[in-house]
Amino acid sequence: MEEIMSKHMAKSAQGSGPGNPETITLNRDTPIQHSAKDAASLGAEALAAGNFPLAILQYTKAIATHPQAVDYYIKRSTAYTRTSPSNQAAALADAEVAVVLAHNRGKRESIAQAQLRRGIALFGLQRYADAGKCFAWVKEKEPKEKSISIWEAKVQDKLSGLESGDSKGAATVKEVPDADTEKAAADAKKAETARACSEKATAPKTSTPVASSAAVATSPSKIRHEWYQAPTTVTITLLAKGVPKDRATVDIQPSSLSISFPLPTGADYDFSLEPLFAPIDPSASTYKIMSTKVEFVLKKAHPGQKWHSLENPHPVPTPSDSTSTSTAPIPSAILNPIPTQDHPPAYPTSSRSGPKNWDQLAASLMKKPTKATDKDAPASAKDDDEDTYVDDDDDDGGDPANAFFKKIFKDADPDTKRAMMKSYQESNGTALSTNWSEVGKGKVETSPPEGMVAKKWGE
C-alpha cells in the first residue's frame, strides 16, 4: 500500500502531461503506461511478437485493474498455452474464469472464444473427452469458427487410440465451470503488487525507453491462396506475410492439409483442406514458410491424375480402384486388330457378283511386267505380253484411277471411245460416259459437283 501511495506522490511531484507521463519499467528496461488500457495494448503487442512472458505480465496488470474483462483472461490463457514450456493448468484456470464472466454478460462470441481456449488447455492436459465437449459448445455458439474442425479431428484421433476405461476418455466438465472470479481477481492484484515491488527494488536508476515492435503480418481478411498442378505434384501457396515459423502447426495427411498460426491480434488463423480432391503421399510432400507466403508441394499418390479442384466432398476413384472394379472386357478387335492390307473395307454394292476389291484391282492395273526380249522370249509369250502390257508411254503419276480409265479406253470399241472423248471434252471434264447412243444425241452439258458453280475462263 505504501508503494502505491509513493507512486501517486511521485506523480504529483512530477506533474502530468504529454512531455512527462507516469511510467514504470516493463522489461527491466522498457517503460509502460500505468493504465489498464495501456497494459492490455502492450500485452497484445507482446503476444503478437511472441514474447509470451511479457504478455502474461501485462495482462496480469490489466486484470488487476479490471478484473471483469473477459478478453484479458482469454489473452492471458493464450499466452500461458504458448509459453515454453507451456502452463496448461494456468491457461485452463483463466479460460474457465473467462467462460463464467462471458456467461454473466451473455455474449455469444466471448463465450465461444473462452470455451475454445478452455478446450485447447484441456487438450494440452490430455483430457481429450472434456476438450471435445468444449469444442462442441463452441460449435453451438459459433458454427463458422474455422479451427473447430481441426481440433475435433485431433480429439477423435486421440480418443480412438485410448484403451477402454482410460480416464482421458471420460467427460466430466460442465458447460459453466465453478470458477471463483473474485479469487482470480485477488490473485492478479497480489501478483501485480509483488511484481511492482520486486521491479522497483531491482530497476536501474536510469532507463532508456525502447519502442516495441510487432511483426508485420497480413490481415486475416486479406489472406488468400492460389494453386497449380503438374503431372506428379500439386503446389498450394498461402499468401500471408509474417507467419511465425516456430509457432506454425502444419498437418499433412493422405486426404487433408491444415496449417494454424497465431495472428497479431492474439487469435489463431486456421487454413484447412479436407478432403483433398485425390489422395497424396504425405512422406513425399513438403512445405516452406517464407516471409511473404507459405508454400506446400503435395506429391500425388497417383501421378498423372488431373485435379479439377483442391477439395472434393465425394471421393475420386483412383487408377488402381478403377482397374480393380472394372469388369467390362476389352473388345477383341482392339486387342487383335485385323490388318487393313489383308482385309480392306467393304463398300455397299448392288452387283449380283458381290462387292469388288477395288484396291486389288487398282494394284493389278499398276503392275508393269517387263517385256521379254525378242531373243529370249518365244512367240507365244510375245503375243501374251502384247495383250497384258499396260502402255507406260504416258506417266500417270501412280494414280490407280488414271490407269483404270486408260485400260477401259484401250480395250473399248470405237463407239465407246467416241462417247468417252465427246462427253469428257464437252462437259469440261465433269462427265465421262461410255454410252454413245446417249452422248451422240447432242452436246453434253457441264455438270459441276454439288455446291460448285461452273464458270468460263476469265470470269
Side-chain angles (χ1 to χ4, degrees):
M1 201 53 145
E2 293 178 358
E3 194 67 35
I4 298 174
M5 291 298 293
S6 65
K7 291 176 184 176
H8 282 285
M9 291 173 66
K11 179 179 179 182
S12 301
Q14 294 176 357
S16 60
N20 191 22
E22 177 203 359
T23 62
I24 63 171
T25 56
L26 192 168
N27 231 357
R28 300 182 183 273
D29 298 316
T30 307
I32 63 168
Q33 300 295 330
H34 254 294
S35 68
K37 181 178 180 181
D38 292 333
S41 299
L42 290 174
E45 291 180 2
L47 190 63
N51 193 344
F52 304 120
L54 180 59
I56 293 171
L57 184 148
Q58 289 303 311
Y59 280 117
T60 300
K61 180 176 178 60
I63 290 171
T65 307
H66 291 285
Q68 301 298 315
V70 179
D71 188 60
Y72 297 168
Y73 287 99
I74 292 174
K75 296 297 175 57
R76 194 172 68 169
S77 175
T78 303
Y80 276 128
T81 303
R82 294 177 183 171
T83 53
S84 182
S86 62
N87 190 344
Q88 300 292 353
L92 177 61
D94 275 356
E96 291 189 336
V97 171
V99 170
V100 174
L101 294 175
H103 271 279
N104 292 341
R105 295 189 178 187
K107 291 186 176 181
R108 294 177 62 89
E109 183 178 356
S110 297
I111 294 172
Q113 289 301 315
Q115 291 285 16
L116 178 61
R117 299 314 312 177
R118 186 186 183 195
I120 293 173
L122 288 168
F123 187 88
L125 293 170
Q126 299 185 359
R127 294 169 58 182
Y128 303 124
D130 288 340
K133 292 199 68 174
C134 290
F135 294 141
W137 291 326
V138 175
K139 203 169 185 179
E140 290 178 5
K141 300 294 182 181
E142 288 290 336
K144 295 182 180 180
E145 174 62 44
K146 296 180 179 179
S147 62
I148 286 299
S149 58
I150 297 176
W151 283 109
E152 286 182 330
K154 291 181 178 180
V155 168
Q156 291 301 321
D157 182 60
K158 293 293 185 181
L159 291 176
S160 62
L162 297 178
E163 296 181 358
S164 179
D166 196 322
S167 60
K168 299 175 183 178
T172 59
V173 293
K174 297 186 295 183
E175 184 172 2
V176 181
D178 299 326
D180 191 344
T181 58
E182 294 183 359
K183 183 178 182 301
D187 290 342
K189 289 181 180 180
K190 289 179 181 179
E192 172 57 20
T193 302
R195 183 204 64 79
C197 294
S198 175
E199 189 175 73
K200 185 174 181 64
T202 57
K205 294 181 180 180
T206 59
S207 61
T208 304
V210 178
S212 63
S213 59
V216 178
T218 305
S219 172
S221 60
K222 295 183 180 180
I223 296 177
R224 57 189 180 89
H225 68 277
E226 300 174 346
W227 73 285
Y228 63 90
Q229 65 178 308
T232 59
T233 60
V234 175
T235 302
I236 304 172
T237 304
L238 186 65
L239 301 175
K241 295 180 180 179
V243 176
K245 295 182 180 180
D246 56 338
R247 301 195 302 279
T249 303
V250 179
D251 186 21
I252 301 177
Q253 298 295 331
S255 61
S256 65
L257 164 68
S258 66
I259 179 173
S260 176
F261 55 86
L263 296 169
T265 58
D268 288 338
Y269 183 85
D270 298 286
F271 174 78
S272 62
L273 298 171
E274 185 178 5
L276 293 171
F277 183 84
I280 62 171
D281 183 0
S283 61
S285 301
T286 61
Y287 71 92
K288 186 177 182 181
I289 300 177
M290 293 169 272
S291 59
T292 58
K293 62 182 179 179
V294 182
E295 186 175 83
F296 305 89
V297 180
L298 308 181
K299 183 75 172 180
K300 293 181 178 179
H302 304 283
Q305 186 176 22
K306 185 176 181 180
W307 288 29
H308 300 289
S309 60
L310 286 177
E311 292 182 287
N312 188 5
H314 306 291
V316 176
T318 61
S320 59
D321 295 337
S322 60
T323 302
S324 60
T325 57
S326 177
T327 57
I330 300 176
S332 58
I334 297 177
L335 295 175
N336 302 304
I338 300 174
T340 305
Q341 295 180 354
D342 298 338
H343 299 273
Y347 302 98
T349 179
S350 59
S351 174
R352 294 181 180 179
S353 60
K356 292 180 180 282
N357 189 333
W358 295 102
D359 293 337
Q360 184 178 2
L361 178 60
S364 65
L365 292 175
M366 288 297 295
K367 288 181 180 178
K368 299 178 180 179
T370 305
K371 289 185 177 181
T373 59
D374 293 339
K375 295 180 181 180
D376 300 332
S380 59
K382 292 181 181 179
D383 295 340
D384 294 340
D385 185 58
E386 290 178 357
D387 294 337
T388 59
Y389 178 72
V390 177
D391 191 6
D392 194 31
D393 292 340
D394 295 331
D395 184 14
D396 55 27
D399 187 353
N402 287 343
F404 175 67
F405 290 125
K406 282 183 179 180
K407 177 67 176 176
I408 294 176
F409 186 84
K410 181 178 180 300
D411 298 336
D413 57 54
D415 287 343
T416 301
K417 290 181 177 180
R418 287 198 300 270
M420 293 176 68
M421 294 174 62
K422 184 174 183 297
S423 61
Y424 189 80
Q425 291 177 354
E426 291 182 350
S427 68
N428 296 309
T430 60
L432 182 64
S433 175
T434 58
N435 191 346
W436 175 251
S437 60
E438 292 183 358
V439 175
K441 293 180 181 179
K443 182 181 178 180
V444 179
E445 298 296 335
T446 301
S447 57
E450 184 178 356
M452 301 183 68
V453 179
K455 292 184 178 181
K456 294 182 179 180
W457 180 261
E459 291 185 356

